[in-house]
Amino acid sequence: MAGPGMVDLTLRIRRFNPDVRPDPWWEEHTIEAEPNDRLLDALHRVKWYQDGTLSLRRSCAHGICGSDAMLINGRNALACKVLVKDVAPRVTVEPIRGLPVLKDLIVDMEPFFAGYRSILPFLVNESDPGDRERRQSPEERARFDDTTKCILCAACTTSCPIFWGDGEYVGPAAIVNAHRFVFDSRDQAGKERLAILAEKSGVFRCRTTFNCTEACPRGIKVTQAIQEVKRAVLFNRA
Ligand code: SF4
Ligand code: F3S
Ligand code: FES
């Protein structure tokens, strides 16, 4: 029984360790936590006091680094942004879907980053900026403000059924990051990016399912960004 002001939380965790068993299995751990603790704190308590073999990624613990995206009660979220009081007395935790699981909650992010790299996620401008920085009006800056907020957590891409079923689709996170540069008035590689996204692995694989928008912990309008990029590809506008 939890002490005063505390709650019991049972974590049902999907485990995987190819060195121990060929298939995944479920394990349950019950810990005591403060209601305002994050789920990440609860996972730490399991790892530090009950089973040191539990593996997970995390770094900042404040919703910035994007490393602790996981499937929490069937929805993608950052464990550091979910409060114990919102899931107690029981929560199910699994690795994000659509990427190979390496161990427990850790997936191989390389296919995700390959999609990200494919859209040239950097500013391209060979012209001489002169003795001042390249200037931009507030309106020009606002055009791509939403998509600058991406933290590359992969919650969107790994919630997308098209991505699960098709290893070729670059996925919503890559398109969000293409949007960030395609609509940047200082960038000169928009047409190149749009040509990449017009290919069969690109934007037209999206079936407007909206899972990505629901999953984004940064509140980015992911599906809207994808629609804007689709229109830019169709009308060759960058
Ligand atoms: Fe994560 Fe949102 Fe970026 Fe997708 S768009 S990687 S969900 S921050
Ligand atoms: Fe997938 Fe999002 Fe499109 S979930 S189908 S990328 S709207
Ligand atoms: Fe950095 Fe959660 S640990 S976003």
Side-chain angles (χ1 to χ4, degrees):
M1 264 308 264
M6 305 289 277
V7 292
D8 282 328
L9 177 67
T10 299
L11 298 101
R12 184 167 180 263
I13 306 172
R14 189 176 164 96
R15 305 291 304 267
F16 177 63
N17 182 350
D19 293 337
V20 175
R21 292 192 210 175
D23 298 316
W25 72 95
W26 291 94
E27 262 179 27
E28 287 197 4
H29 295 269
T30 300
I31 54 106
E32 206 176 83
E34 290 187 26
N36 285 330
D37 280 348
R38 288 87 43 91
L39 181 59
L40 180 62
D41 302 316
L43 286 163
H44 279 155
R45 220 153 288 161
V46 172
K47 181 174 175 63
W48 294 340
Y49 302 112
Q50 296 192 9
D51 184 350
T53 67
L54 175 66
S55 299
L56 65 147
R57 281 200 185 100
R58 77 287 190 205
S59 181
C60 71
H62 291 284
I64 297 299
C65 73
S67 56
D68 62 340
M70 41 190 91
L71 198 61
I72 299 166
N73 284 341
R75 289 174 162 256
N76 277 1
L78 300 175
C80 65
K81 289 191 78 177
V82 172
L83 296 181
V84 165
K85 67 181 176 191
D86 293 330
V87 292
R90 193 174 167 79
V91 63
T92 301
V93 183
E94 302 168 68
I96 47 179
R97 292 190 176 136
L99 293 168
V101 179
L102 298 175
K103 186 169 184 290
D104 298 336
L105 302 171
I106 296 182
V107 298
D108 179 3
M109 295 287 282
E110 182 46 35
F112 171 79
F113 284 117
Y116 170 67
R117 285 193 300 270
S118 74
I119 55 82
L120 315 177
F122 41 82
L123 190 91
V124 178
N125 191 329
E126 301 296 334
S127 70
D128 181 357
D131 54 2
R132 305 187 65 159
E133 73 245 34
R134 293 192 174 87
R135 305 196 66 175
Q136 200 164 43
S137 70
E139 292 74 25
E140 286 171 330
R141 175 62 180 76
R143 180 68 189 86
F144 60 94
D145 187 63
D146 199 35
T147 46
T148 63
K149 296 174 192 155
C150 178
I151 55 172
L152 294 173
C153 67
C156 56
T157 297
T158 60
S159 71
C160 173
I162 309 294
F163 182 79
W164 298 335
D166 178 352
E168 277 192 39
Y169 178 37
V170 288
I175 303 170
V176 159
N177 284 278
H179 180 286
R180 183 255 169 271
F181 291 104
V182 163
F183 294 104
D184 186 333
S185 59
R186 300 164 301 178
D187 187 83
Q188 296 178 334
K191 286 197 176 10
E192 209 176 322
R193 285 192 197 87
L194 294 181
I196 293 165
L197 288 169
E199 288 171 8
K200 70 178 177 41
S201 57
V203 277
F204 296 107
R205 292 252 157 154
C206 167
R207 292 287 176 269
T208 328
T209 312
F210 277 92
N211 289 17
C212 52
T213 301
E214 282 169 27
C216 181
R218 303 285 292 164
I220 297 171
K221 297 183 189 74
V222 179
T223 310
Q224 182 179 315
I226 295 171
Q227 294 304 103
E228 290 176 7
V229 174
K230 280 183 186 170
R231 278 198 290 275
V233 171
L234 286 172
F235 302 113
N236 200 18
R237 215 166 9 89

